[in-house]
Amino acid sequence: MQHPKEVADLKRFDIPPVLTGFIDGRPVPESASAEIVTCIAPSDETELLSLHEADANEVDAAVSAARRAFDSGPWPRMSVDERNRILRQIRDKIIEHADELAYLESVNVGLPIRNVKTVHIPRAARNFEFFAEVASQATGEVYTQTRPYLSYVTREPVGVGGLIGPWNYPLGLGTMKIASCIAFGNTCVIKPSEYAPLSLTRAMELIHETDIPPGVINLVNGRGHVTGEALTGHPGVDVVSFTGGTVTARAIMRSASAHLKPVAFELGGKSANIVTASADLERALDGSLSTIYLDNGQQCLAGSRILVERSIADEFIQKFVERSRKVRIGDPLSPDTELGPLCYEAHLEKVLSYVGIAQQEGAELLTGGRRSDAFERGFYIEPTAVMAPSNSARVCQEEIFGPFAAFLVFDDLDEAIEIANDSNFGLVAYIWSEDLPTVMRASQGIRAGTIWVNTPTTRDLRAPFGGYKDSGIGRDSARDCMEFFTEAKTTTIPTDTFPITDFGKAQ
Ligand code: NAP
């Protein structure tokens, strides 16, 4: 069912035909010599906008602006209360423009508007409020045990952050990087994905309607191997915070190593979603559908390997397939849509290619596996599920990053834990059981950064989020971000006089 009124209402917001960067408090002028990257709308394959790509010179200008703002600007020297006031102004701007930002995100990425409105935009606003609170509550350490000394530890901003975001949650994750970086007095340059630059670029204009000083937050637009590489390799960048894929992370680590830059990596996953016979099966079914189909399945934390205990497997999988066939595919701007189009064509092709890969390896296609024929245009795919032949199949080992579930059956919990851990990734895992010992054994045995018990994805920004193994380096949380974006400094002072070795005094 379409909702033309709601959709028409959202379409009142403008989409700029050309996007550039934002440096030193101002949009970068359009340049006749810039490489043009065309952004395509995933819902109808029309041209959405042209991106003027930042080359190495433009990246240098952005880093220089951030450097000046850090080395001699007011931001790192302001009182924390003053910085917090401005971070809260940014939060308010996002809330004030929530509908517009939701529209831009949905049109650009294909994310169903209802989740963008209820989760992503509030999260973007909350990121600034949360890190304002964290910075204002931060404390140091004092050591008095080594007499006569008093040693105290303060944390100072690390400098200029090079921030690289993925296309799946541009605003929610991009603002998390910006807020966690600048709250502690740093400045930054952010590069969104070339596929999804719209919401963050608009947010830059809104952010600069507040009292934020110029140069604190700069944005460069362009492709990863051009703009991204120039940013992560720039000597003026002190730390790199990256969310994206494992292959890109390795390239970034190589370029960051030239200047020994610390890196924080939030990467992909192939997370196990374990449904035991002791689960509340209705809730487990709702949760399993949600973890793989929410946000078009383009989630790092998708429960994409669904492990079901043998005694309930036939019934559970049958119900999962029935519900998958009823998922409402449609225009991402329609409030009824549950599954929108995938973000871009090459990604759609990649996701669909796993149907053939699965079948060649002996998987059974349970449902979906093709473009939705309800749409003449747009990157729409049917919710897809396969019964995998074994956990070593590529559909169980490689991140597909779409609405694509791979089922496996297990006989006991030890086997389920073994399968969950038989992966290069270790981002999250889900366990569904009403039996406490089962839950505890799974949560202790699975090697992943987050274990969600009897719940689909939820996030407490205070608690660490990040991955074991190929799923990342470092964590996001109040404390982890504070440690990453600050340097610890120890100052040692004697509290009394004491003899100092008297070189050269002897007669
Ligand atoms: P990606 O291809 O690795 O790209 C991520 C970002 O890096 C993009 O902005 C990309 O720019 C840029 N980039 C590409 N090559 C680069 C280079 N050589 N130097 C510097 N930057 C470069 O990942 P993606 O496809 O955008 O995102 C999907 C991945 O992100 C999945 O693996 C997903 O699981 C992961 N992810 C993880 C989390 C988490 O919290 N753990 C959250 C969300 C997503 P262009 O796109 O413009 O090329």
Side-chain angles (χ1 to χ4, degrees):
M1 187 172 69
Q2 288 294 315
H3 281 257
K5 188 181 164 307
E6 283 95 333
V7 175
D9 188 44
L10 285 167
K11 286 189 172 167
R12 73 186 186 278
F13 297 114
D14 290 335
I15 296 178
V18 174
L19 276 196
T20 61
F22 208 96
I23 297 178
D24 218 4
R26 285 181 303 276
V28 174
E30 291 175 25
S31 152
S33 61
E35 281 291 330
I36 306 292
V37 180
T38 304
C39 246
I40 302 294
S43 62
D44 61 7
E45 301 178 47
T46 55
E47 201 174 306
L48 196 59
L49 57 91
S50 301
L51 200 69
H52 282 206
E53 179 166 77
D55 60 10
N57 288 334
E58 191 178 319
V59 171
D60 184 54
V63 175
S64 301
R67 233 359 326 141
R68 277 193 306 278
F70 183 75
D71 292 336
S72 52
W75 186 251
R77 291 155 195 88
M78 257 176 208
S79 74
V80 170
D81 285 347
E82 182 59 2
R83 280 209 295 267
N84 286 352
R85 186 184 66 78
I86 297 171
L87 291 169
R88 285 166 205 277
Q89 285 181 332
I90 299 176
R91 172 203 59 189
D92 294 345
K93 275 283 165 200
I94 292 173
I95 294 170
E96 207 181 303
H97 292 267
D99 281 356
E100 179 187 2
L101 291 168
Y103 167 68
L104 298 178
E105 195 78 318
S106 187
V107 162
N108 194 173
V109 185
L111 295 171
I113 190 90
R114 72 176 180 182
N115 206 40
V116 177
K117 273 189 173 174
T118 55
V119 177
H120 297 224
I121 305 300
R123 164 75 189 275
R126 172 79 180 130
N127 286 333
F128 288 96
E129 180 180 34
F130 178 76
F131 281 102
E133 286 166 3
V134 172
S136 72
Q137 297 299 323
T139 56
E141 301 155 44
V142 178
Y143 298 97
T144 56
Q145 294 91 332
T146 306
R147 289 179 188 277
Y149 294 104
L150 166 79
S151 289
Y152 65 88
V153 184
T154 45
R155 303 218 61 115
E156 299 188 349
V158 70
V160 174
L163 316 177
I164 310 254
W167 50 260
N168 62 326
Y169 298 141
L171 197 63
L173 295 179
T175 53
M176 170 86 175
K177 290 197 182 301
I178 294 171
S180 59
C181 178
I182 68 168
F184 303 104
N186 301 294
T187 62
C188 68
V189 180
I190 186 160
K191 188 203 91 67
S193 168
E194 83 208 49
Y195 299 108
L198 200 42
S199 59
L200 263 179
T201 308
R202 173 68 180 128
M204 290 299 288
E205 294 170 343
L206 299 172
I207 287 171
H208 286 84
E209 290 171 11
T210 71
D211 295 332
I212 190 96
V216 174
I217 310 172
N218 305 276
L219 178 144
V220 285
N221 267 317
R223 291 166 296 177
H225 68 278
V226 178
T227 313
E229 231 174 89
L231 178 60
T232 56
H234 196 292
V237 168
D238 295 296
V239 290
V240 174
S241 171
F242 167 76
T243 299
T246 306
V247 173
T248 314
R250 292 203 170 95
I252 290 177
M253 199 166 203
R254 278 193 293 276
S255 82
S257 72
H259 303 282
L260 287 182
K261 285 175 202 164
V263 292
F265 288 160
E266 297 289 347
L267 309 178
K270 190 74 201 182
S271 298
N273 174 25
I274 302 174
V275 183
T276 69
S278 57
D280 174 333
L281 290 180
E282 266 315 296
R283 289 182 65 80
L285 183 61
D286 288 344
S288 302
L289 288 154
S290 167
T291 75
I292 189 61
Y293 296 145
L294 189 75
D295 290 330
N296 306 340
Q298 296 167 159
Q299 304 187 80
C300 56
L301 37 73
S304 50
R305 277 187 300 158
I306 309 183
L307 282 46
V308 193
E309 192 159 350
R310 192 172 302 279
S311 60
I312 55 158
D314 285 350
E315 189 187 344
F316 186 87
I317 294 169
Q318 187 197 338
K319 285 184 174 167
F320 183 98
V321 167
E322 279 166 16
R323 293 269 298 273
S324 297
R325 292 188 177 136
K326 292 186 194 154
V327 168
R328 287 189 301 268
I329 309 172
D331 180 350
L333 294 179
S334 168
D336 295 324
T337 293
E338 294 176 312
L339 194 75
L342 300 192
C343 183
Y344 58 95
E345 190 166 18
H347 185 58
L348 170 81
E349 281 162 11
K350 179 194 143 181
V351 173
L352 285 173
S353 76
Y354 276 94
V355 178
I357 291 169
Q359 287 173 324
Q360 270 165 22
E361 290 191 314
E364 178 196 351
L365 181 63
L366 299 169
T367 190
R370 57 196 179 119
R371 283 182 92 142
S372 167
D373 54 18
F375 304 88
E376 274 178 25
R377 302 185 72 76
F379 308 133
Y380 294 95
I381 175 178
E382 291 182 357
T384 298
V386 300
M387 177 59 77
S390 79
N391 189 51
S392 57
R394 285 180 60 191
V395 280
C396 291
Q397 291 295 326
E398 296 174 18
E399 186 182 37
I400 299 173
F401 215 53
F404 194 125
F407 277 97
L408 290 163
V409 174
F410 66 88
D411 286 304
D412 61 35
L413 188 62
D414 287 339
E415 186 189 0
I417 294 172
E418 196 181 315
I419 295 172
N421 287 338
D422 179 15
S423 169
N424 288 335
F425 294 108
L427 190 60
V428 308
Y430 303 81
I431 171 81
W432 297 88
S433 170
E434 298 296 307
D435 176 55
L436 189 58
T438 300
V439 166
M440 293 312 296
R441 268 178 55 214
S443 88
Q444 288 165 6
I446 296 172
R447 292 180 55 74
T450 298
I451 311 290
W452 276 304
V453 178
N454 295 332
T455 178
T457 307
T458 180
R459 182 78 197 277
D460 185 333
L461 293 181
R462 298 166 193 86
F465 181 83
Y468 286 36
K469 302 188 264 184
D470 281 1
S471 290
I473 294 178
R475 298 287 185 272
D476 275 342
S477 75
R479 194 186 63 210
D480 292 292
C481 291
M482 196 260 285
E483 288 178 355
F484 183 71
F485 284 116
T486 57
E487 293 276 16
K489 177 183 278 181
T490 301
T491 303
T492 297
I493 309 176
T495 55
D496 204 348
T497 54
F498 60 94
I500 298 179
T501 314
D502 52 354
F503 279 98
K505 263 197 183 160
Q507 294 301 317

